[in-house]
Amino acid sequence: MDFSEARKTILNVLARTDLHHVPKLINWIKNSDDIDNFMVDNKKTILRSIADNIRDYLPLEAMFPSETMAIQKTQQNPKPTLHVDAFLYEEETVDSLCDEGKMSRNFCLNCGSHRTALIEFISHSFSISELQFLFHHVLPDLMGKLVVDVGSRLGAVLYGGYLYSAAAQLVGVEISKEFVKLQTMIVEKYGFNDRVQVIHADICSQNVLVQNADVLIMNNVFEYFMEPKDQVRAWEFISQSFRKKGALLVTVPSIQEALVSLQETNRASAIDDWLEEVPIDYSAYVQSDTDLDSLKQIHLYRVV
Ligand SMILES: C[S@@+](CC[C@H](N)C(=O)[O-])C[C@H]1O[C@@H](n2cnc3c(N)ncnc32)[C@H](O)[C@@H]1O
C-alpha cells in the first residue's frame, strides 16, 4: 500500500468509527506506545537496510587496505582479534556467517586439536541498539542542536542521530577519504542531506566546528588510527576547543581510560577543570539484544 492509499484507509476507518470513540482513537494514534514502538522498529529497519547496503561496498572485515595502522594494531593484539563491525553485523548475522563458515568465533589452540578459545571481536562502529540507547537514553532532547561525530567512519552515528533525534545538524568529520565517499553516497541515497553533512578532514583542523558543537561524540576515535603522540596532540586540541559551557561530550571508553593509556595521567586528573561526568542510567534500556557491557563503555560529560 502506498502513502495515498494508506491515508485513504485511515480516513475511512475514522469515518466508520462511532463518533464518540473518534477522539479516543485520534489520541491513541498521536500518543500511544503502540505507535511509538512501530516508529522505532521502522527506524531500526531503515538502519538495517543502510547496513545491508554498506556491506556490499566493503570486505567482511569492513576495513579498507589503506588503513594500515588499524590493521597492524588489530594483528598486534596479544589475543587473536577480529574486527567485526557492530553496525554492519548484528549478533544474528554473525551467527549465520559462522554457520556458513565465513566467520568464526573460535581459534584453535593446538592446530588440529579440538581445544579452542574465543576470538576477541572489536568494533569500529556503534551497533544499532547502542545508537538507540545513545539518542534515546544518554542524550537529552537535541532539538536545534549541533552534533559533531569525530571520526564518523560508516556514518552510523549520523544516520542514528537523524532517525532517533531532532538534532538540527549532524556533522561527521572523517580523515579517511574512502569512508567519506561511502557516507556521502548513503546520505544522498536516503535523503538525509537536509540535516547531515560529512567533512573530509583531520578533526584538529576543525576549530570553529568543535567550538560551536553542542554535542561531541568520540567513539574510540584515535586509539587504532593514530600514533600515541598524535593522539595526545588531538586530545589537547579537543580540550582547548570544546569549551562551550553546558555542551556535552560522549566518549567510549571513558576519557580517563583513554588518557591514562597514553600515559597522560596529569591530564587525566586535571579534566575536572573542564568536564563533569553525567551519570547514565543503564537500566533504562534493556532489550533482548542489548550487550550491557558495551553500553557501560559509553560515558557522558558536561563542559563546566
Ligand atoms: C572507531 S571509528 C568511529 C566510528 C563512528 N564514530 C561510530 O561511532 O560508529 C574511528 C574513526 O575515526 C577516524 N579518525 C581517526 N583519527 C581521526 C582524526 N584525527 N580526524 C578525523 N577522523 C579520524 C578513523 O578513520 C575511523 O574511521
Side-chain angles (χ1 to χ4, degrees):
M1 197 185 302
D2 65 12
F3 172 74
S4 103
E5 268 179 282
R7 183 171 167 273
K8 225 186 270 170
T9 309
I10 290 174
L11 290 174
N12 241 327
V13 170
L14 282 167
R16 284 172 32 224
T17 306
D18 288 344
L19 262 184
H20 65 284
H21 284 317
V22 170
K24 200 171 160 191
L25 182 63
I26 292 178
N27 186 42
W28 172 80
I29 292 174
K30 281 179 156 172
N31 301 314
S32 90
D33 282 353
D34 297 340
I35 302 289
D36 268 1
N37 292 340
F38 179 79
M39 298 288 285
V40 168
D41 286 347
N42 200 24
K43 288 168 185 172
K44 203 175 214 177
T45 307
I46 298 173
L47 290 173
R48 282 181 173 149
S49 143
I50 295 174
D52 274 354
N53 207 184
I54 294 179
R55 281 203 300 269
D56 289 342
Y57 290 88
L58 288 172
L60 196 61
E61 65 276 17
M63 294 176 84
F64 284 115
S66 56
E67 297 188 283
T68 43
M69 187 181 302
I71 294 169
Q72 249 175 30
K73 285 198 175 190
T74 310
Q75 286 165 352
Q76 280 163 2
N77 235 308
K79 284 189 182 169
T81 306
L82 197 65
H83 175 235
V84 179
D85 193 284
F87 179 68
L88 299 183
Y89 299 98
E90 291 181 88
E91 282 296 309
E92 307 88 76
T93 321
V94 172
D95 287 343
S96 1
L97 286 168
C98 289
D99 291 346
E100 291 166 28
K102 293 184 181 155
M103 204 180 260
S104 175
R105 291 184 187 276
N106 304 290
F107 70 98
C108 188
L109 289 173
N110 309 341
C111 200
S113 90
H114 293 289
R115 289 187 61 228
T116 60
L118 282 181
I119 293 178
E120 197 150 282
F121 284 180
I122 54 155
S123 169
H124 291 319
S125 299
F126 278 128
S127 65
I128 294 176
S129 45
E130 284 166 342
L131 290 169
Q132 202 178 333
F133 176 68
L134 177 64
F135 286 104
H136 282 171
H137 299 285
V138 175
L139 292 167
D141 182 359
L142 297 180
M143 173 96 69
K145 303 290 183 194
L146 166 62
V147 177
V148 175
D149 184 28
V150 183
S152 48
R153 199 168 184 83
L154 305 177
V157 168
L158 307 176
Y159 320 139
Y162 188 95
L163 294 165
Y164 291 138
S165 87
Q169 251 192 303
L170 296 134
V171 181
V173 180
E174 172 55 58
I175 207 165
S176 153
K177 200 163 69 185
E178 290 143 308
F179 280 115
V180 170
K181 209 170 143 198
L182 192 63
Q183 291 172 73
T184 309
M185 185 268 291
I186 295 291
V187 168
E188 274 165 23
K189 180 167 178 181
Y190 285 81
F192 293 158
N193 32 13
D194 55 334
R195 292 197 285 135
V196 174
Q197 192 196 344
V198 185
I199 298 174
H200 177 214
D202 179 337
I203 191 64
C204 299
S205 69
Q206 299 298 305
N207 196 19
V208 175
L209 180 68
V210 174
Q211 274 175 1
N212 289 326
D214 298 297
V215 177
L216 200 66
I217 300 186
M218 300 182 68
N219 177 16
N220 250 318
V221 193
F222 305 129
E223 191 190 339
Y224 277 82
F225 303 92
M226 288 172 118
E227 295 291 358
K229 67 170 182 3
D230 296 326
Q231 294 184 42
V232 172
R233 175 184 59 91
W235 276 113
E236 219 164 70
F237 163 78
I238 297 287
S239 66
Q240 280 163 13
S241 307
F242 189 58
R243 287 280 168 175
K244 195 200 260 189
K245 198 166 181 275
L248 296 171
L249 173 67
V250 174
T251 68
V252 174
S254 74
I255 190 161
Q256 287 87 349
E257 196 179 316
L259 293 173
V260 168
S261 71
L262 291 167
Q263 269 114 44
E264 288 290 301
T265 31
N266 287 345
R267 203 185 295 273
S269 45
I271 69 152
D272 294 357
D273 299 340
W274 169 37
L275 302 167
E276 64 181 358
E277 180 146 19
V278 182
I280 296 175
D281 180 6
Y282 298 97
S283 66
Y285 180 78
V286 185
Q287 284 195 350
S288 56
D289 58 351
T290 309
D291 173 0
L292 208 58
D293 288 340
S294 73
L295 296 190
K296 287 191 174 167
Q297 293 288 312
I298 301 177
H299 292 261
L300 177 67
Y301 305 88
R302 187 182 297 112
V303 176
V304 290

